[in-house]
Amino acid sequence: MMLGFLDVLGTAVFAVSGVLLAGKLRMDPFGVLVLGVVTAVGGGTIRDMVLNDGPVFWVRDPTDLVVAMVTCFVAILVIRQPRQLPKWILPVLDAIGLAVFVGIGVNKAFASGTGPLIAVCMGVITGVGGGIIRDVLAREIPMILRTEVYATACIIGGIAHTTAFHVFHLSSQHASVLGMVITLGIRLAAIRWHLKLPTFELEGKE
Amino acid sequence: MMLGFLDVLGTAVFAVSGVLLAGKLRMDPFGVLVLGVVTAVGGGTIRDMVLNDGPVFWVRDPTDLVVAMVTCFVAILVIRQPRQLPKWILPVLDAIGLAVFVGIGVNKAFASGTGPLIAVCMGVITGVGGGIIRDVLAREIPMILRTEVYATACIIGGIAHTTAFHVFHLSSQHASVLGMVITLGIRLAAIRWHLKLPTFELEGKE
Amino acid sequence: MMLGFLDVLGTAVFAVSGVLLAGKLRMDPFGVLVLGVVTAVGGGTIRDMVLNDGPVFWVRDPTDLVVAMVTCFVAILVIRQPRQLPKWILPVLDAIGLAVFVGIGVNKAFASGTGPLIAVCMGVITGVGGGIIRDVLAREIPMILRTEVYATACIIGGIAHTTAFHVFHLSSQHASVLGMVITLGIRLAAIRWHLKLPTFELEGKE
């Protein structure tokens, strides 16, 4: 139940993040719709194509697809105000969607019977996939490459979720919430205090 | 029969659109071949990976793959003239391929037994997928984002096709043609008279 | 056995190529890890999604995934030296990975029972897929579009491999080695002597 609610929440915030990015690109409403929907369902779509047991989730059950579409329409109608949006809106929405989707991805991997390593990978794919597609289509450098402590947050959250479930035998729901809180906490802290790990940098020109 | 012909036509025009874009990038003939083929079969490939019932269409039946390859070779040999190509060639070819592939995608979704919402989505994916891959690889902003009334045309065409089939019980073939004519008509009108919907635009910097 | 070793080698060199490109982008170590791993397993992942018989290879057997991860960690620790890397490192690593993965892709296609045309396509997809994802994410023009004799090399290598196996009945292993040597030889020759085919170029603005 609660996971169902979080799923809808994650879908909606990612859809809005797609709409907000589209707002910088002079697109018409249906183009905005496409970018918002792709952002919302993209990560889970890649996950299901990789796991490959049957059609992807929104073909089996179009709930998330409808949530994404309705969210886009509402967002297009509501947000259309000319005043400046604060800079932190898109990263924070992205962080919420990221945290929720990493947790959902890990759970779906467990449900498919994969081991812990693959489960963490599925969490990361589900979390970052939609945002990567959004940014590649809009020709932004993907957040996962340009933003510090982004991959880090979802890898640590996914490992915490998996460990809590496999090693400490928390219930699936408790383990999910723990992982999501950790992912979200790391990302919000990184956005608020501009945390960064030491970057890996080479001077050589390729 | 007629749908088979339209399939070949859509594949060929998308292949040529890939070759034409490649012509701006100083690629060698095999690179041109790859870009042309990916453009021609990309949308249907994504659709089949999402629907996920067996190998993608060109693995099951390589006809379209061969059509795309032959078209690329012919296009490379024939088009190699130095004079300026008119600006409207690529958008018009793209519009024909788009209209045909939206119709084919909707039909394949019906054949897989999906509902009307998923059918429209499959039409859109089939129609725009190849062009998106083409433009992402060539580092163009995808037409679906930069071009007005692009997503709009294929969504309306797909809805018309689905409605004609499901609500008005037209034959699959008549419904397909109706949908294709609507998609193509909207795109051509948009290209000719520079139609646009009011764009959705935000001033806020993200 | 030897093919298993080559698989590990190809995975490792592609992972390093991802790490090297990441070194130009000021990413933190986990971001580097993601780019390296995606480069290493991306081509095979697309191939398996297209062939669509069961989960992709690294879900079934995570060996290659672990190899890619360990390689990235080692590369991040070892390469962190500030002096200039020679320009040819990335293309040469890429050439080795390309040659190995084209061969592996052709073999996997034969194992799935596809015909020779599809086998060559699967070789090309496996070889170029990871590098394309790497370059798209990092907003480089993909090597297959910008680099001469790149698609050419893997198409010729894949055809040689397929012909040796199907027409001259070489063992799978001998045919693989032949194809790999040809792909690698063409790429290295092209890098060393700046070989190029006549390029296909159009003056017309699209």
Side-chain angles (χ1 to χ4, degrees), chain A residues 123-168:
Chain A
V124 173
I125 289 174
T126 312
V128 307
I132 286 180
I133 297 177
R134 174 195 66 207
D135 294 343
V136 165
L137 290 184
R139 292 215 303 188
E140 302 273 317
I141 300 182
M143 277 199 172
I144 194 167
L145 300 190
R146 114 184 94 104
T147 311
E148 275 88 11
V149 205
Y150 193 93
T152 313
C154 53
I155 290 173
I156 293 179
I159 290 176
H161 181 166
T162 305
T163 310
F165 183 75
H166 264 293
V167 180
F168 297 106

Coordinates of all heavy atoms in Angstrom, one line a residue, chain A residues 123-168:
Chain A
G123 N 18.2 -1.3 -8.8 CA 17.8 -0.1 -8.1 C 18.4 1.1 -8.7 O 17.7 2.1 -9.0
V124 N 19.7 1.1 -9.0 CA 20.3 2.2 -9.6 C 19.7 2.5 -11.0 O 19.4 3.7 -11.4 CB 21.9 2.0 -9.7 CG1 22.5 3.1 -10.5 CG2 22.4 1.9 -8.3
I125 N 19.5 1.4 -11.8 CA 19.0 1.6 -13.2 C 17.6 2.3 -13.1 O 17.3 3.2 -13.8 CB 18.9 0.3 -13.9 CG1 20.2 -0.2 -14.3 CG2 18.0 0.4 -15.2 CD1 20.2 -1.6 -14.9
T126 N 16.7 1.8 -12.2 CA 15.4 2.3 -12.1 C 15.4 3.8 -11.6 O 14.7 4.6 -12.1 CB 14.6 1.5 -11.0 OG1 14.7 0.1 -11.3 CG2 13.1 1.9 -11.1
G127 N 16.4 4.1 -10.7 CA 16.4 5.4 -10.2 C 17.0 6.4 -11.2 O 16.4 7.5 -11.4
V128 N 18.1 6.1 -11.9 CA 18.7 7.1 -12.7 C 18.3 7.0 -14.2 O 18.5 8.0 -14.9 CB 20.3 6.9 -12.7 CG1 20.7 6.9 -11.2 CG2 20.8 5.7 -13.4
G129 N 17.6 5.9 -14.6 CA 17.3 5.7 -16.1 C 16.5 6.8 -16.6 O 16.8 7.4 -17.7
G130 N 15.4 7.2 -16.0 CA 14.4 8.2 -16.5 C 15.1 9.5 -16.6 O 15.0 10.2 -17.6
G131 N 15.9 9.9 -15.6 CA 16.6 11.2 -15.6 C 17.6 11.3 -16.7 O 17.9 12.3 -17.3
I132 N 18.3 10.1 -16.9 CA 19.3 10.1 -18.0 C 18.7 10.3 -19.4 O 19.1 11.1 -20.2 CB 20.1 8.7 -18.0 CG1 21.1 8.7 -16.8 CG2 20.9 8.5 -19.3 CD1 21.9 7.5 -16.7
I133 N 17.6 9.6 -19.6 CA 16.9 9.7 -20.9 C 16.4 11.2 -21.1 O 16.6 11.8 -22.1 CB 15.7 8.8 -21.0 CG1 16.2 7.3 -21.0 CG2 14.9 9.0 -22.3 CD1 15.0 6.3 -21.0
R134 N 15.8 11.7 -20.0 CA 15.4 13.2 -20.0 C 16.5 14.1 -20.4 O 16.4 14.9 -21.3 CB 14.8 13.5 -18.6 CG 14.5 15.0 -18.4 CD 14.3 15.3 -16.9 NE 15.6 15.2 -16.3 CZ 15.8 14.9 -15.0 NH1 14.8 14.7 -14.2 NH2 17.0 14.9 -14.5
D135 N 17.7 13.9 -19.8 CA 18.8 14.8 -20.0 C 19.4 14.6 -21.4 O 19.8 15.6 -22.0 CB 19.8 14.7 -18.9 CG 19.2 15.2 -17.5 OD1 18.2 15.9 -17.5 OD2 19.8 14.8 -16.5
V136 N 19.5 13.3 -21.8 CA 20.1 13.1 -23.1 C 19.2 13.7 -24.2 O 19.7 14.3 -25.1 CB 20.3 11.6 -23.4 CG1 20.5 11.3 -24.8 CG2 21.4 11.0 -22.5
L137 N 17.9 13.5 -24.1 CA 16.9 14.1 -25.1 C 17.0 15.6 -25.1 O 17.0 16.2 -26.2 CB 15.5 13.6 -24.8 CG 15.2 12.2 -25.1 CD1 13.7 11.9 -24.9 CD2 15.6 11.8 -26.5
A138 N 17.2 16.2 -23.9 CA 17.2 17.7 -23.9 C 18.6 18.2 -24.1 O 18.9 19.4 -23.9 CB 16.6 18.2 -22.6
R139 N 19.5 17.3 -24.4 CA 21.0 17.7 -24.6 C 21.6 18.4 -23.4 O 22.5 19.2 -23.6 CB 21.1 18.5 -25.9 CG 20.9 17.7 -27.1 CD 21.7 18.0 -28.2 NE 21.6 19.4 -28.6 CZ 22.2 20.0 -29.6 NH1 22.9 19.3 -30.5 NH2 22.0 21.3 -29.8
E140 N 21.1 18.0 -22.2 CA 21.9 18.4 -21.0 C 22.9 17.3 -20.7 O 22.7 16.1 -21.1 CB 20.9 18.4 -19.8 CG 19.8 19.4 -19.9 CD 20.2 20.8 -19.4 OE1 20.8 20.9 -18.4 OE2 19.8 21.8 -20.1
I141 N 24.0 17.6 -20.0 CA 24.8 16.5 -19.5 C 24.0 15.8 -18.4 O 23.5 16.5 -17.5 CB 26.1 17.1 -18.9 CG1 26.9 17.8 -20.0 CG2 27.0 15.9 -18.3 CD1 28.3 18.3 -19.5
P142 N 23.9 14.5 -18.4 CA 23.0 13.8 -17.4 C 23.5 14.1 -16.0 O 24.7 14.2 -15.7 CB 23.3 12.3 -17.7 CG 23.6 12.3 -19.1 CD 24.4 13.5 -19.4
M143 N 22.5 14.4 -15.1 CA 22.8 14.7 -13.7 C 23.8 13.7 -13.1 O 24.6 14.1 -12.3 CB 21.5 14.6 -12.9 CG 20.7 15.9 -13.0 SD 19.6 16.0 -11.6 CE 18.9 17.6 -11.8
I144 N 23.7 12.4 -13.5 CA 24.5 11.4 -12.9 C 26.0 11.7 -13.2 O 26.9 11.2 -12.5 CB 24.1 10.0 -13.3 CG1 24.8 9.0 -12.4 CG2 24.4 9.7 -14.7 CD1 24.2 7.6 -12.5
L145 N 26.3 12.4 -14.3 CA 27.7 12.7 -14.6 C 28.1 14.0 -14.1 O 29.2 14.3 -13.8 CB 27.9 12.7 -16.2 CG 27.6 11.3 -16.9 CD1 28.0 11.4 -18.3 CD2 28.2 10.2 -16.2
R146 N 27.1 15.0 -14.1 CA 27.5 16.3 -13.8 C 27.4 16.7 -12.4 O 28.0 17.6 -11.9 CB 26.7 17.3 -14.8 CG 25.7 18.2 -14.2 CD 25.0 19.0 -15.3 NE 23.7 18.3 -15.6 CZ 22.5 18.7 -15.2 NH1 22.4 19.9 -14.5 NH2 21.5 18.1 -15.5
T147 N 26.5 15.9 -11.6 CA 26.2 16.3 -10.3 C 26.9 15.4 -9.3 O 26.9 14.2 -9.4 CB 24.7 16.1 -10.1 OG1 24.0 16.7 -11.1 CG2 24.2 16.7 -8.8
E148 N 27.6 16.1 -8.3 CA 28.3 15.3 -7.3 C 27.4 14.5 -6.4 O 26.3 14.9 -6.2 CB 29.2 16.2 -6.5 CG 30.5 16.6 -7.1 CD 30.4 17.8 -8.1 OE1 29.4 18.5 -8.0 OE2 31.4 18.1 -8.8
V149 N 27.9 13.4 -5.9 CA 27.2 12.5 -5.0 C 25.9 12.1 -5.5 O 24.9 12.1 -4.7 CB 27.1 13.3 -3.6 CG1 27.0 12.2 -2.5 CG2 28.2 14.2 -3.3
Y150 N 25.8 11.8 -6.8 CA 24.5 11.4 -7.3 C 24.5 9.9 -7.5 O 23.6 9.2 -6.8 CB 24.3 12.1 -8.7 CG 22.9 12.0 -9.2 CD1 22.0 13.0 -9.0 CD2 22.5 10.9 -10.0 CE1 20.7 12.9 -9.5 CE2 21.2 10.8 -10.5 CZ 20.3 11.8 -10.3 OH 19.0 11.7 -10.8
A151 N 25.4 9.4 -8.3 CA 25.5 7.9 -8.3 C 25.8 7.4 -6.9 O 25.2 6.3 -6.5 CB 26.6 7.5 -9.3
T152 N 26.6 8.1 -6.2 CA 27.0 7.7 -4.8 C 25.8 7.5 -4.0 O 25.6 6.5 -3.3 CB 27.9 8.8 -4.2 OG1 28.9 9.1 -5.1 CG2 28.5 8.3 -2.9
A153 N 24.9 8.4 -4.0 CA 23.7 8.4 -3.1 C 22.8 7.1 -3.5 O 22.4 6.4 -2.5 CB 22.8 9.6 -3.3
C154 N 22.6 6.9 -4.7 CA 21.7 5.7 -5.0 C 22.4 4.4 -4.8 O 21.8 3.4 -4.5 CB 21.0 5.9 -6.3 SG 21.9 6.2 -7.7
I155 N 23.7 4.4 -5.0 CA 24.5 3.1 -4.8 C 24.4 2.8 -3.3 O 24.1 1.7 -2.8 CB 25.9 3.2 -5.3 CG1 25.9 3.2 -6.8 CG2 26.7 2.0 -4.8 CD1 27.2 3.4 -7.5
I156 N 24.7 3.8 -2.4 CA 24.7 3.6 -1.0 C 23.3 3.2 -0.5 O 23.1 2.3 0.3 CB 25.3 4.8 -0.2 CG1 26.8 5.0 -0.6 CG2 25.1 4.7 1.3 CD1 27.4 6.2 0.1
G157 N 22.3 4.0 -1.0 CA 20.9 3.7 -0.6 C 20.5 2.3 -1.0 O 19.9 1.5 -0.2
G158 N 20.9 1.9 -2.2 CA 20.6 0.5 -2.7 C 21.3 -0.6 -1.9 O 20.7 -1.6 -1.6
I159 N 22.5 -0.3 -1.5 CA 23.3 -1.3 -0.7 C 22.6 -1.4 0.7 O 22.4 -2.5 1.2 CB 24.8 -0.9 -0.6 CG1 25.4 -1.1 -2.0 CG2 25.5 -1.7 0.4 CD1 26.9 -0.6 -2.1
A160 N 22.2 -0.2 1.3 CA 21.6 -0.3 2.6 C 20.3 -1.1 2.6 O 20.1 -1.9 3.4 CB 21.3 1.2 3.1
H161 N 19.5 -0.8 1.5 CA 18.2 -1.5 1.4 C 18.5 -3.0 1.3 O 17.8 -3.8 2.0 CB 17.6 -1.0 0.1 CG 16.2 -1.5 -0.3 ND1 15.4 -1.0 -1.2 CD2 15.6 -2.7 0.2 CE1 14.3 -1.7 -1.3 NE2 14.4 -2.7 -0.5
T162 N 19.4 -3.4 0.4 CA 19.7 -4.8 0.2 C 20.2 -5.5 1.4 O 19.8 -6.6 1.8 CB 20.7 -4.9 -1.0 OG1 20.2 -4.3 -2.1 CG2 20.9 -6.4 -1.3
T163 N 21.1 -4.8 2.1 CA 21.7 -5.3 3.3 C 20.7 -5.5 4.4 O 20.7 -6.5 5.1 CB 22.9 -4.4 3.8 OG1 23.7 -4.1 2.7 CG2 23.7 -5.0 5.0
A164 N 19.9 -4.5 4.6 CA 18.8 -4.5 5.6 C 17.9 -5.7 5.4 O 17.5 -6.4 6.3 CB 18.0 -3.2 5.7
F165 N 17.6 -6.0 4.1 CA 16.7 -7.1 3.8 C 17.4 -8.4 3.9 O 16.8 -9.4 4.5 CB 16.2 -6.9 2.4 CG 15.1 -7.9 1.9 CD1 13.8 -7.8 2.4 CD2 15.5 -8.8 1.0 CE1 12.9 -8.7 2.0 CE2 14.5 -9.8 0.6 CZ 13.2 -9.7 1.1
H166 N 18.6 -8.6 3.3 CA 19.2 -9.9 3.2 C 20.0 -10.2 4.5 O 20.0 -11.4 4.8 CB 20.2 -9.9 2.0 CG 19.6 -10.4 0.8 ND1 19.3 -11.7 0.6 CD2 19.3 -9.9 -0.4 CE1 18.8 -12.0 -0.6 NE2 18.8 -10.8 -1.2
V167 N 20.6 -9.3 5.1 CA 21.5 -9.6 6.2 C 20.8 -9.4 7.5 O 20.8 -10.3 8.4 CB 22.8 -8.7 6.2 CG1 23.7 -9.0 7.4 CG2 23.5 -8.9 4.9
F168 N 20.0 -8.3 7.7 CA 19.4 -8.1 8.9 C 17.9 -8.5 8.9 O 17.2 -8.3 9.9 CB 19.5 -6.6 9.3 CG 20.9 -6.2 9.5 CD1 21.6 -5.4 8.6 CD2 21.6 -6.6 10.6 CE1 22.9 -5.1 8.7 CE2 23.0 -6.2 10.8 CZ 23.6 -5.5 9.9

